[in-house]
Amino acid sequence: MMNTQDLFARNRVILTHFDSYSTALLFPRWNNNTLLWPEALPASATPMPAPTTIGPMHVANTVKQAVVERCGLNPDELEHVGEFNHWAQTESGPVRIHLLRFTTLDAPKAAIEALGGEFKPISLLRGSAMSELLLLREVFNLIVGTGGQ
């Protein structure tokens, strides 16, 4: 069985919360330097198309479960957004970027703060890596563009 360190060498996660009432879309910034959990992609990473075969280390449910276990989150309050399918090529191989969306009424700010993150709207994330902001723009278009569904 793969440990979470190995798993997260091949996967990154964007967490988000969308409040359909106020149309607030929030993302955690981790330790004031990355928008990806548990760490930023290497600087040399480049976008790539999804591979034709997805290996077991990139399976969405496995990654979601690892995030839940490592972060102490409630699995019933997170959903994997399958329509978000982004990959990056790194020197050590492909990395899948997953989108997990909180389904709670309010963003779980205390839980994210306990992990070193702070929820912010995309407009307050300027100064983050451009590659990460482009991924958040894709999330924004996916969630807000479909009316939050």
Side-chain angles (χ1 to χ4, degrees):
M1 173 138 183
M2 183 180 306
N3 69 39
T4 59
Q5 185 174 349
D6 293 340
L7 185 71
F8 289 113
R10 296 273 156 249
N11 295 276
R12 298 297 190 278
V13 176
I14 296 171
L15 291 167
T16 191
H17 180 272
F18 180 70
D19 179 350
S20 60
Y21 182 75
S22 67
T23 66
L25 183 63
L26 302 173
F27 301 94
R29 181 183 295 177
W30 302 101
N31 300 314
N32 276 328
N33 65 2
T34 185
L35 306 172
L36 301 176
W37 190 91
E39 62 186 350
L41 289 167
S44 62
T46 57
M48 65 174 272
T52 54
T53 304
I54 296 176
M57 80 286 301
H58 293 115
V59 174
N61 289 336
T62 303
V63 172
K64 176 186 169 187
Q65 188 59 37
V67 169
V68 164
E69 289 174 7
R70 196 159 162 191
C71 296
L73 301 173
N74 182 341
D76 297 331
E77 297 176 347
L78 275 177
E79 67 180 9
H80 185 272
V81 180
E83 298 86 1
F84 186 83
N85 191 23
H86 289 270
W87 292 77
Q89 183 63 50
T90 69
E91 291 176 8
S92 61
V95 174
R96 185 174 184 185
I97 301 139
H98 301 264
L99 176 61
L100 296 178
R101 179 178 168 183
F102 287 100
T103 59
T104 52
L105 185 59
D106 295 312
K109 293 179 181 179
I112 294 302
E113 287 172 4
L115 297 167
E118 182 182 6
F119 272 111
K120 294 181 178 262
I122 198 169
S123 61
L124 295 180
L125 294 171
R126 290 183 182 102
S128 298
M130 185 55 70
S131 59
E132 293 181 0
L133 288 172
L134 290 171
L135 290 168
L136 294 195
R137 180 44 112 176
E138 293 290 324
V139 173
F140 180 89
N141 290 340
L142 180 67
I143 293 175
V144 176
T146 61
Q149 302 303 315

